[in-house]
Amino acid sequence: MTNKQIRVFSGVQPSGDPQLGNYLGAFRGWVKKQSEKDNFFCVVDLHALTVTPSPEDLKKQTRELAAVLFACGLDPDQSTLFVQSHVSAHAEGCWLLNCVTPIGWLERMTQFKDKSEGKERVSTGLLDYPVLMAGDILLYDADEVPVGEDQKQHVELSRDIAERFNRLYGETFKIPRPVIPEIGGRVMGLNDPNVKMSKSFADIRGHAIRILDTPEEIERSFMRAVTDSSNEIVFSNSPEKAGVNNLLGIYKVITEKSEEEVEKDFASARGYGDLKKAVAEVVIEELRPIKEKYLELMKDVSELDRLLSVGAQQASSIAFLKLDQMKEKMGLILPVSKELI
Ligand code: TYM
């Protein structure tokens, strides 16, 4: 099998400002590997509805996120990028998969537990979220799902759902595997290195680096990053060094150096101030061209919309075939002529 035959599917929610964790855990790897594989990437606006954003915010964030992804280097000639709601097979596929997914599987999801904790009421959508995600992946017979560590459980659930469907109705889906970067799969918050960096907290001062932050904002956030009271700049798994470890990890992914080389870079540093400055510098340089490209793309929103329509067409040509296959297997009769509906 040549690598182009390896189908990749992944997605991101337009639910806040995309941040450095999204970039290092997902987008950067998507772009780096795109020439080797058959790629589908999706701005999952239906997923974003589970946190009831304002309609204006959702529209704006969907376009902005698509532009960020193109700006990170997704190439429409190598990768299909589309908006989830443009391909209605995703919502339909979710319903079909709902009917084979035991509710207990969903109640066990840690992200559901975290997001619903302490809330008086949560939407059915929040519980059902991983089934929609399974549909995203399974409709494309994806081999690989490149995600950050936090999405691993959801991808594993997609495997369970696929296996259950195959058992009930006969071989239908490929069983996808999660692909998680060794470093960068879990970028932690700068204000609290025990909490994952997240779009949802991107507004909290000093928590996240947003991909579109100015160099000044990036530097300020890094200089405020929580570290510890020693001054040892080494990789470490000890909980007290989580902040330093996070900063070194960010530096390591971007510079693509080994741990030894990274530690050597800081052997003569005078303290954490030097470390923070150096990490800020490499992040600023990494994000600078992305922001420039983003601003250029946002000047012509109609071209952006056109690229997304082309992406939706390409995705539809695969997703609807699979959806029909699912329907047939489940005993739904297909209309004789789609033109009549
Ligand atoms: P989302 O929108 O939360 O995040 C998009 C991608 O970024 C990764 N990520 C991180 N990686 C490292 N460190 C972090 N701090 C960090 N924060 C986020 C996520 O792991 C993810 O890869 N449910 C998914 C979207 C989705 C999807 C799919 C993904 C919908 N359908 C199908 C794969 C396949 C989500 O909410 O990602």
Side-chain angles (χ1 to χ4, degrees):
M1 193 181 338
T2 71
N3 273 348
K4 266 285 180 198
Q5 281 166 282
I6 293 184
R7 169 85 43 87
V8 168
F9 187 98
S10 202
V12 51
Q13 288 191 74
S15 56
D17 293 324
Q19 40 82 14
L20 191 63
N22 300 128
Y23 178 70
L24 297 180
F27 310 165
R28 192 169 185 269
W30 300 355
V31 169
K32 276 197 175 290
K33 294 268 162 49
Q34 67 181 333
S35 64
E36 298 166 17
K37 312 209 174 168
D38 178 22
N39 319 283
F40 289 82
F41 298 116
C42 187
V43 176
V44 293
D45 55 349
L46 298 175
H47 276 104
L49 287 176
T50 58
V51 292
T52 49
S54 82
E56 295 72 33
D57 282 353
L58 184 56
K59 277 185 193 153
K60 185 166 163 282
Q61 287 169 355
T62 300
R63 286 205 177 87
E64 285 175 357
L65 183 55
V68 164
L69 290 169
F70 283 128
C72 286
L74 278 194
D75 173 359
D77 292 332
Q78 303 270 10
S79 300
T80 297
L81 176 66
F82 68 103
V83 175
Q84 189 184 34
S85 65
H86 291 181
V87 182
S88 60
H90 289 244
E92 265 191 272
C94 175
W95 176 256
L96 303 183
L97 295 177
N98 275 337
C99 298
V100 304
T101 306
I103 211 163
W105 289 7
L106 304 179
E107 286 164 342
R108 275 205 304 273
M109 292 292 105
T110 51
Q111 202 166 78
F112 173 70
K113 288 196 218 158
D114 289 349
K115 286 195 177 171
S116 56
E117 198 188 322
K119 298 235 168 77
E120 218 174 275
R121 236 184 280 175
V122 293
S123 73
T124 310
L126 194 66
L127 180 67
D128 202 28
Y129 178 112
V131 183
L132 180 60
M133 177 162 162
D136 296 342
I137 298 167
L138 301 180
L139 279 172
Y140 296 84
D141 273 328
D143 299 285
E144 296 182 354
V145 185
V147 284
E149 183 72 42
D150 62 321
Q151 294 299 319
K152 188 169 172 217
Q153 194 185 37
H154 288 157
V155 181
E156 279 163 357
L157 184 79
S158 305
R159 292 167 62 92
D160 293 342
I161 294 175
E163 277 165 2
R164 187 167 156 80
F165 192 103
N166 287 350
R167 236 185 354 262
L168 288 171
Y169 297 110
E171 208 55 29
T172 310
F173 296 123
K174 258 198 188 160
I175 309 301
R177 60 177 179 277
V179 176
I180 295 159
E182 237 168 77
I183 307 235
R186 194 166 172 79
V187 176
M188 308 308 283
L190 299 181
N191 61 338
D192 181 354
N194 299 308
V195 172
K196 178 194 77 156
M197 190 181 283
S198 163
K199 288 186 228 101
S200 327
F201 309 136
D203 286 343
I204 298 175
R205 198 163 155 249
H207 168 76
I209 300 296
R210 287 172 292 212
I211 295 179
L212 301 174
D213 273 348
T214 62
E216 295 70 33
E217 284 168 325
I218 296 174
E219 175 153 7
R220 218 175 310 131
S221 297
F222 275 115
M223 293 318 283
R224 266 204 295 259
V226 168
T227 46
D228 56 77
S229 53
S230 83
N231 60 359
E232 253 191 308
I233 307 182
V234 287
F235 285 95
S236 161
N237 288 328
S238 90
E240 314 83 77
K241 302 231 36 112
V244 168
N245 209 52
N246 190 35
L247 293 174
L248 288 173
I250 293 170
Y251 182 89
K252 179 178 186 310
V253 193
I254 295 180
T255 58
E256 296 180 358
K257 291 184 177 179
S258 68
E259 283 197 4
E260 295 72 51
E261 287 169 324
V262 170
E263 287 178 355
K264 218 151 121 214
D265 280 358
F266 296 107
S268 57
R270 276 160 305 159
Y272 291 153
D274 284 359
L275 168 68
K276 292 174 178 180
K277 236 191 198 106
V279 181
E281 253 165 50
V282 294
V283 171
I284 289 168
E285 289 320 310
E286 178 84 5
L287 298 182
R288 190 190 301 281
I290 295 175
K291 180 146 186 204
E292 282 168 9
K293 181 87 201 291
Y294 165 84
L295 291 173
E296 206 181 298
L297 285 162
M298 289 304 285
K299 280 189 202 151
D300 188 357
V301 173
S302 60
E303 173 57 12
L304 185 65
D305 286 351
R306 190 192 67 79
L307 287 173
L308 292 173
S309 299
V310 173
Q313 250 168 24
Q314 288 166 350
S316 295
S317 68
I318 291 173
F320 281 100
L321 286 179
K322 195 66 177 185
L323 186 70
D324 279 354
Q325 209 183 325
M326 290 167 72
K327 287 180 177 174
E328 279 203 297
K329 295 248 180 174
M330 295 179 94
L332 302 175
I333 58 167
L334 300 179
V336 277
S337 164
K338 293 205 170 170
E339 268 94 73
L340 297 177
I341 339 178

